Amino acid sequence: MAKIYKKTSGNGSIALYLGKRDFVDHVETVDIVDGVIKVDPAELEGRKVWVYLACSFRYGSDDLDLIGMNYRKDIWIQRQQIYPAVGTKPANTPMQEALLKKCEDQGHAFTFNIDTNLPCSVGLQPAPEDVGKACGVDYEVKAYIANEADDPEEKINKKDTCRLIIRKIQFAPGTIPAGPQADISKNFMMSDKLVHLEASIEKELYFHGDPIPVKVKINNETAKVVKKIKITIDQTTEVLLYQADKYTKTVLNEEFAEEVKGESTLEKTFTVIPLLSNNKEKRGLAVDGRLKDEDTNLASTTLIRPGMDKGMQGILVAYKIKVNLLVSSGGLLGGLTASDVGVELPLVLMSPKPADCEMGDSYVMIFWHA
């Protein structure tokens, strides 16, 4: 049983069908975008039907367009003429064959290949009071009626178009490297003794929503007291297209009341889970591309392959874990003389690859009007 997404133009002349809205980047290749457009030529008035797939960066809300500002930048775009049919086309997929049978002589298949160097879908979380589409990178399949594919002088009526937002997503690789480790030794004024801190995680990559065990080792050779341990996870977002903008937001901040007295040690594992549900109010936080009425995650880490143009990625996302010790002298003035000892660990957050599901030539279709 397969869900088919359908969007019909305002005038009813064309309808766009897609078998899925998530297309996977497999590093070397990306899933093809295959669909069907149903065309009723009665209302075309001699015009043609086109379809395009665009990867765009949106950096403002729709209302900006009302004052003459362009709120989106096309990173990559491909167009095809659907009706009248021209040229040769690749073999149809099973999903296309099933839809063409349903549409009879009004169905026309199309296929797009997404370049491997294009970014994955990612958005910047709006504030609760914000309206309109969020800033970020998105992909759009749009069918439209026009005389020419892209004539700036030709105004296309909204009722002559239909569109669906899709996502380009990337899953965690099959092989996950061993986790990083960091350590530091710090001495304090009027003392030649040290506080040693070591932190590590078992693997470099964790899936969204999974617990992350952080192993902490402390060797306090001084007479000072470690009053507590703080673990934070920061998301660093670098926006590359419209300006050089790089900022960091904390997505997890937890404190543990573990006291390590002078000349003593501690070895313990602390478990943390960074979740978008705990960060819903943070404007500008990077999240995985969101489809209408669907939930999402914190943005997955951007994986840059050797030779890839960073500037094409639109938004780069990275994470790091910080482990900090609050060390004080104890006594009445201990809090006033406290200082930090800290280390950082790189972290990769991604989604697990789901089991592959192959659709056969015969299946029941449920039409979902998106």
Side-chain angles (χ1 to χ4, degrees), residues 23-99:
F23 298 86
V24 181
D25 181 346
H26 301 279
V27 180
E28 298 300 328
T29 61
V30 183
D31 289 349
I32 64 169
V33 179
D34 55 332
V36 166
I37 296 176
K38 184 179 180 180
V39 179
D40 180 359
E43 303 294 328
L44 297 186
E45 300 175 348
R47 295 172 296 170
K48 302 170 185 177
V49 178
W50 311 81
V51 61
Y52 77 50
L53 171 60
C55 171
S56 302
F57 181 76
R58 182 183 298 276
Y59 51 92
S61 59
D62 293 355
D63 57 357
L64 290 178
D65 192 46
L66 300 177
I67 58 174
M69 296 179 64
N70 186 7
Y71 56 87
R72 58 183 290 146
K73 174 182 175 65
D74 288 331
I75 302 173
W76 175 89
I77 189 167
Q78 281 192 352
R79 288 183 172 86
Q80 294 179 20
Q81 181 176 318
I82 292 297
Y83 183 88
V86 294
T88 59
K89 296 182 178 180
N92 294 328
T93 63
M95 184 274 297
Q96 287 174 321
E97 288 290 352
L99 282 171

Side-chain angles (χ1 to χ4, degrees), residues 13 47 57 115 138 190 199 219-220 236 319 322 350 358:
S13 295
R47 295 172 296 170
F57 181 76
D115 285 356
D138 64 30
M190 308 297 293
N219 181 8
N220 182 11
T236 299
Y319 294 90
K322 296 195 293 187
M350 298 196 76
E358 297 294 335

Side-chain angles (χ1 to χ4, degrees), residues 249-353:
K249 292 185 179 291
T250 298
V251 296
L252 180 139
N253 187 351
E254 293 192 23
E255 294 185 353
F256 303 89
E258 296 286 343
E259 187 173 271
V260 185
K261 297 184 182 299
E263 299 182 352
S264 61
T265 63
L266 174 72
E267 184 172 333
K268 190 170 182 177
T269 298
F270 302 91
T271 300
V272 294
I273 308 177
L275 296 171
L276 177 58
S277 58
N278 297 329
N279 294 275
K280 289 290 191 180
E281 304 299 316
K282 293 182 180 176
R283 182 177 188 176
L285 191 70
V287 299
D288 277 343
R290 190 195 310 263
L291 298 177
K292 185 178 180 181
D293 299 327
E294 292 188 16
D295 207 352
T296 188
N297 305 300
L298 294 168
S300 296
T301 300
T302 306
L303 300 183
I304 301 294
R305 297 187 298 272
M308 180 181 285
D309 181 5
K310 283 180 59 177
M312 287 288 288
Q313 296 309 295
I315 297 175
L316 301 181
V317 178
Y319 294 90
K320 63 183 175 183
I321 299 174
K322 296 195 293 187
V323 180
N324 286 84
L325 309 180
L326 180 65
V327 183
S328 71
S329 300
L332 295 175
L333 298 179
L336 298 177
T337 59
S339 58
D340 274 340
V341 179
V343 294
E344 296 181 356
L345 300 168
L347 171 67
V348 176
L349 282 179
M350 298 196 76
S351 297
K353 184 178 181 180

